Amino acid sequence: MTLLAEVGWGGLVQAPTTITWTDITQRVDQVRGVVITRGASDERSETQPGTATLSLDNQDGWLTPGNSASPWSPFVRENAPIRISQAVIPTRSGSSPYPLAMLGDDFDDNRVNTTLWSTPFGGASETGGRMRVPVTTVSTAGFQTVREWALVGSKLTAKLVTLPGANGSSAALASMWVNSTTSGTRLGWRYNAVTGVISAETQTGFFDGTAVGFAYSAINHVWVRVRESGGTVYWESSGDGFGWTVRRSLATPAWVTSQTLAVEFPTTRTGGTNDFVEWDLVGAEVRPRFYGMVNEWPVDWEGLVSKVTISCTDLFKRLNRLPLLRSMVTEQIIQRVPVAYYPLTEPADSISAGDLSGHGLPSMAITQAGAGGTLTMATTEGPAATGDSTPLFTPSTATAGKYLTVDLGSAAQDQLTANPPQIEAWFKTATTGRAILGLYSPDLQYVTVLSLSASGALQIEWTVTGATSLTVETVGSTSGLNDDNWHHLVYDQRIGVAWVDGVNVDPTLAPTPGSDQRFLHIGGYRGTRLWNGALAHVAVYAANVTIGSALATHYNAGANGYAGEAADTRIFRLAEYAGLLSVTVWGSTHDPVDSQGPGGSGVVARMREVEATESGKLFAERDWFGLAYQSRDVRYNPDPASETFTIDYADLEPGTKLSADDQKKINFVEASRPGGATQRVTAPESILAFGTYPPAGGTLSLLKTSDNSVLDAAAWLVSRYAAPAPELREVAIEAYTMPNFLDILDAEISSYFTVFNLPSQAPASSMRVTVEGYTETLKEKSHLIGFHTSASATDSVWVLDDAVYSVLDSTTRLAY
């Protein structure tokens, strides 16, 4: 195994596809090792933020923050992206022809392995832990194997570390070829330093007229490989050596299946200045172990020796420091990037209303029309699921009272000129004939007013000619909106369509192309038709596509907080609020969850509510800036054929423990849901034998949508933990010494494996366990993993007439 530690200087941890990574592996103190923690201690605990700790050589001062002489300055700073992997180098076994996947070299001893590379030529060498091949005008150069390899059903992989430069040459090439027995018949990858193109080629006579080329990317083409499978050859590239993208494919040439092959890494240059190309980690199987950010760069000295010991945290660090969420309505609106957004949720003593669009627009001023009337903030409860308090507009007459006005400014005006506005608002009134809002240009050439008619129907009023009398279109199907209840309105001016309470109420309104609109009035229009009631969450958008139907779904955010949507959908929604676009969902059991409409808690806390409600698992990915969410059925009835690995007890390290205690015992559960009943489930026999064991925290509050679902969740908990069996909770493995180390490294949270040949004192000769988390230490020639585990049988469910899962009083637990 070879450690890989890389830092993305100047990159954004939340944008992994834009990061150019720098390998700092040579700086890592592999005697002290890299320590990584991930997951939870047991299945009853929440997964914790993943961490990594490593010590780095800083003798040149390049890792000293603020050192302008560092080539990485000024990006040696907190929150720098970091990723850590293990590159597993294959070994050759058996007899020739060997599968090409067995050709492996990490070049770390600075001595050419002549067993693998029989003929380095042209000055090619192993230098600085890499294959270094000169790119010179003197002669061709390269590394080459003897003819003893097969590509069928196998692959050749390498990391392209250092590119040659054009350097004034007319041709400068560096390649990775699988060679046939015929000179010039070969396939592989070629980099052209003059054009900056890397190409996937299958050559005959040293030429491929259909080569597929790409502008080389230090992000996407760091790793390259050729792979044959099922009669097809694939050319693939990768940014991390783990996730691969197919760049070209074609039917396997006949020579690939019939000949014994050789591998070559050659170079050539015509004219210009000499330099070199460097390759590394040929044949490596990469397994990501950590992805996150550096918390600090503390510089320590021991005499004249300088070290930097860094601690790193995965994406939960970023998520945990996000501001508290506002209501779902607000978060949904912000996700749509409005030009202007005035939620009107200020405290009661406020004398203005602020913009939350993030564009720094002016606040709205309370404006007096005529004499009398009031406008008091935080007086009326907002839409049902928001938890907001909103202003109450109480005019004396239709022309005497207070309303809100603002000049949105020239930047907003430009956006609304380029794209006709889409307008969103919530309103509540018992009065007809009043204006909800007005949006207009300084010269009144372009005006849009949303109002209620004398029958309480929605009206769209507009002009594009500056006419004093606005054109009025009444949506007849909407009468009665003056029922003193909250209603949601969306008007898409681009296409002339309106939605009320999430329903398309009239698709036949005339589109009204606008221009120069920058003045916004809320609760009236230019001192007339003053609103008598409440208004909230007014937003103006300037999208270059029609978004009205998407905005209409915000009705559910305010009316019911999306109550009833599936748990995985809720996780996706909350992730979007956090600006996180990558969520992987495992499993298929996703019950409906209740509203989380009001604001006031963090996004992680909201996700944890869903996780606890569904008995799921939430954790950060170890290879990507993303979350994984597992439903509870991921753990149902582990299939022996799908075990990640098996291991003999004799191969375990000290620290493996069998536990039998009351740490997890639960035989008494009271649970409730928002607006529902409080219910109790008990295990009388367990209570009689051991006493009462409620869950930590007492009564469970679950985001269920029915009392029956709450009862099912409580019963599930009691059935699993009223009488927990003895279990292995810690399993320590030195993966480096195991022949199945790749399988061990593939073990993920909720993976399962079996320990067999347990000592005679154990309750069974073998025990299957589920991974809850782990602590691993990566050192030179060592990879010790201490798995935190639980008994897989805890999650078994009843299967009718199944020999294993229908044993009376043993495995007849009903699935939930």
Side-chain angles (χ1 to χ4, degrees):
M1 296 184 185
T2 297
L3 175 71
L4 270 178
E6 300 167 291
V7 177
W9 304 115
L12 302 176
V13 70
Q14 71 273 25
T17 59
T18 66
I19 296 175
T20 300
W21 296 92
T22 299
D23 190 337
I24 63 167
T25 304
Q26 295 299 318
R27 294 176 176 269
V28 178
D29 184 342
Q30 295 195 44
V31 175
R32 296 177 61 178
V34 178
V35 178
I36 297 171
T37 63
R38 190 159 177 268
S41 59
D42 60 68
E43 76 274 31
R44 294 288 300 131
S45 302
E46 291 182 349
T47 55
Q48 299 300 304
T51 64
T53 303
L54 55 160
S55 184
L56 306 172
D57 178 22
N58 187 41
Q59 198 64 17
D60 54 14
W62 286 13
L63 298 178
T64 300
N67 178 12
S68 59
S70 169
W72 302 321
S73 177
F75 301 118
V76 182
R77 61 192 184 192
E78 67 277 9
N79 297 330
I82 186 170
R83 67 184 185 187
I84 299 169
S85 304
Q86 272 292 35
V88 180
I89 307 300
T91 56
R92 191 174 63 177
S93 62
S95 58
S96 176
Y98 306 101
L100 260 174
M102 288 186 180
L103 175 58
D105 199 340
D106 60 10
F107 307 101
D108 279 353
D109 59 5
N110 291 323
R111 293 181 299 176
V112 175
N113 183 341
T114 55
T115 301
L116 294 177
W117 312 104
S118 61
T119 54
F121 56 94
S125 64
E126 186 170 317
T127 303
R130 293 167 178 172
M131 176 203 293
R132 179 174 291 184
V133 184
V135 186
T136 74
T137 59
V138 177
S139 65
T140 59
F143 269 53
Q144 189 175 54
T145 70
V146 298
R147 191 170 297 284
E148 58 183 3
W149 301 98
L151 179 58
V152 174
S154 195
K155 60 193 174 185
L156 172 65
T157 304
K159 184 182 182 184
L160 182 51
V161 180
T162 303
L163 297 175
N167 300 346
S169 301
S170 59
L173 304 171
S175 307
M176 179 184 82
W177 297 117
V178 177
N179 292 332
S180 78
T181 56
T182 302
S183 179
T185 298
R186 56 191 183 176
L187 61 80
W189 286 92
R190 184 173 72 170
Y191 175 70
N192 187 326
V194 174
T195 63
V197 170
I198 187 168
S199 53
E201 302 192 17
T202 174
Q203 295 186 348
T204 301
F206 300 101
F207 178 72
D208 180 2
T210 61
V212 179
F214 311 89
Y216 176 81
S217 164
I219 296 172
N220 299 319
H221 304 131
V222 179
W223 293 79
V224 292
R225 76 180 181 189
V226 288
R227 177 173 61 90
E228 200 281 340
S229 178
T232 301
V233 174
Y234 301 91
W235 286 256
E236 297 165 311
S237 71
S238 173
D240 60 3
F242 179 67
W244 295 87
T245 300
V246 176
R247 303 296 182 181
R248 183 185 184 185
S249 64
L250 54 74
T252 303
W255 60 266
V256 170
T257 61
S258 62
Q259 298 178 9
T260 301
L261 311 175
V263 171
E264 184 181 17
F265 289 82
T267 64
T268 183
R269 182 184 292 280
T270 303
T273 304
N274 298 337
D275 58 6
F276 55 84
V277 64
E278 289 182 321
W279 299 86
D280 198 4
L281 299 172
V282 170
E285 287 277 0
V286 176
R287 293 297 185 268
R289 309 311 299 166
F290 180 83
Y291 184 97
M293 61 200 83
V294 180
N295 299 325
E296 56 183 347
W297 296 92
V299 180
D300 296 320
W301 288 270
E302 296 178 7
L304 297 178
V305 177
S306 178
K307 292 276 189 180
V308 176
T309 300
I310 60 174
S311 63
C312 316
T313 310
D314 65 20
L315 72 84
F316 273 103
K317 175 184 178 181
R318 186 179 181 92
L319 296 182
N320 281 326
R321 69 169 184 259
L322 290 174
L324 298 181
L325 292 176
R326 290 178 174 263
S327 68
M328 275 187 156
V329 167
T330 294
E331 297 298 337
Q332 291 292 139
I333 290 173
I334 290 174
Q335 287 298 306
R336 283 288 171 180
V337 194
V339 172
Y341 172 38
Y342 295 93
L344 311 183
T345 55
E346 281 77 10
D349 57 354
S350 299
I351 58 173
S352 59
D355 164 64
L356 291 187
S357 70
H359 300 306
L361 300 185
S363 59
M364 300 199 82
I366 296 177
T367 302
Q368 180 72 53
T374 60
L375 194 170
T376 309
M377 307 298 286
T379 301
T380 299
E381 290 185 1
T386 64
D388 294 330
S389 295
T390 64
L392 181 64
F393 298 74
T394 311
S396 298
T397 67
T399 56
K402 297 179 179 181
Y403 63 116
L404 296 167
T405 63
V406 67
D407 178 352
L408 299 176
S410 59
Q413 179 180 358
D414 291 343
Q415 292 186 66
L416 295 173
T417 297
N419 296 290
Q422 295 96 356
I423 302 170
E424 176 176 13
W426 285 82
F427 64 88
K428 177 182 178 181
T429 187
T431 304
T432 62
R434 304 296 175 93
I436 299 168
L437 60 83
L439 182 65
Y440 64 95
S441 60
D443 59 3
L444 298 178
Q445 179 78 10
Y446 297 94
V447 178
T448 302
V449 176
L450 305 180
S451 64
L452 294 186
S453 70
S455 66
L458 173 64
Q459 292 183 149
I460 312 296
E461 307 176 42
W462 57 274
T463 181
V464 295
T465 63
T468 303
S469 179
L470 302 179
T471 299
V472 179
E473 294 188 75
T474 302
V475 182
S477 62
T478 61
S479 59
L481 294 176
N482 60 318
D483 58 4
D484 207 24
N485 292 315
W486 279 105
H487 295 285
H488 180 241
L489 167 63
V490 171
Y491 174 56
D492 192 331
Q493 186 171 313
R494 173 182 289 274
I495 57 173
V497 176
W499 289 259
V500 173
D501 296 344
V503 177
N504 184 335
V505 291
D506 194 338
T508 61
L509 299 171
T512 55
S515 182
D516 294 331
Q517 297 176 96
R518 65 182 281 173
F519 290 99
L520 176 65
H521 291 183
I522 296 177
Y525 172 61
R526 300 180 67 215
T528 64
R529 292 182 287 167
L530 300 177
W531 189 255
N532 187 11
L535 295 168
H537 300 291
V538 176
V540 181
Y541 306 83
N544 59 6
V545 295
T546 297
I547 62 171
S549 59
L551 299 180
T553 66
H554 295 176
Y555 169 71
N556 288 324
N560 54 57
Y562 294 112
E565 70 180 353
D568 59 330
T569 302
R570 180 64 55 80
I571 291 291
F572 278 117
R573 188 181 304 282
L574 294 171
E576 288 179 352
Y577 296 168
L580 185 63
L581 302 181
S582 177
V583 180
T584 303
V585 171
W586 298 8
S588 57
T589 299
H590 305 292
D591 290 353
V593 291
D594 208 345
S595 167
Q596 291 176 301
S601 59
V603 67
V604 174
R606 293 277 179 95
M607 290 180 174
R608 293 296 190 194
E609 289 176 346
V610 177
E611 176 190 33
T613 296
E614 292 300 292
S615 295
K617 286 292 176 184
L618 181 76
F619 52 91
E621 300 277 19
R622 60 187 174 190
D623 64 323
W624 193 253
F625 188 81
L627 281 177
Y629 173 72
Q630 298 175 341
S631 65
R632 58 185 176 272
D633 69 312
V634 168
R635 299 182 172 217
Y636 287 172
N637 298 354
D639 180 0
S642 301
E643 284 189 320
T644 307
F645 63 92
T646 61
I647 190 163
D648 194 315
Y649 172 79
D651 290 328
L652 300 182
E653 298 296 307
T656 301
K657 298 178 181 179
L658 180 73
S659 298
D661 52 35
D662 61 358
Q663 175 183 317
K664 300 180 182 181
K665 193 181 297 295
I666 298 174
N667 55 26
F668 176 100
V669 174
E670 285 190 349
S672 63
R673 67 181 180 91
T678 298
Q679 302 174 92
R680 176 181 294 179
V681 175
T682 65
E685 292 183 1
S686 176
I687 293 174
L688 179 63
F690 305 109
T692 301
Y693 282 81
T699 300
L700 298 181
S701 181
L702 305 176
L703 291 176
K704 295 295 187 181
T705 56
S706 72
D707 291 341
N708 282 340
S709 293
V710 172
L711 201 60
D712 289 342
W716 172 249
L717 198 58
V718 170
S719 69
R720 294 160 73 212
Y721 297 110
E727 63 182 5
L728 293 174
R729 292 188 189 156
E730 299 290 333
V731 179
I733 301 173
E734 175 51 81
Y736 181 81
T737 63
M738 295 293 103
N740 59 339
F741 44 76
L742 282 175
D743 295 332
I744 296 171
L745 295 188
D746 284 338
E748 179 57 287
I749 295 169
S750 296
S751 296
Y752 45 93
F753 62 90
T754 293
V755 179
F756 61 92
N757 284 340
L758 285 164
S760 59
Q761 299 90 344
S765 62
S766 66
M767 301 185 79
R768 183 177 297 150
V769 295
T770 299
V771 176
E772 305 298 343
Y774 52 80
T775 297
E776 57 185 337
T777 303
L778 290 64
K779 296 183 178 182
E780 186 174 2
K781 300 187 183 303
S782 173
H783 191 144
L784 180 63
I785 306 180
F787 287 107
H788 312 313
T789 59
S790 61
S792 298
T794 301
D795 295 285
S796 65
V797 297
W798 179 46
V799 178
L800 182 63
D801 293 332
D802 186 275
V804 176
Y805 297 111
S806 62
V807 180
L808 188 63
D809 293 329
S810 176
T811 57
T812 52
R813 182 185 300 116
L814 293 177
Y816 150 63

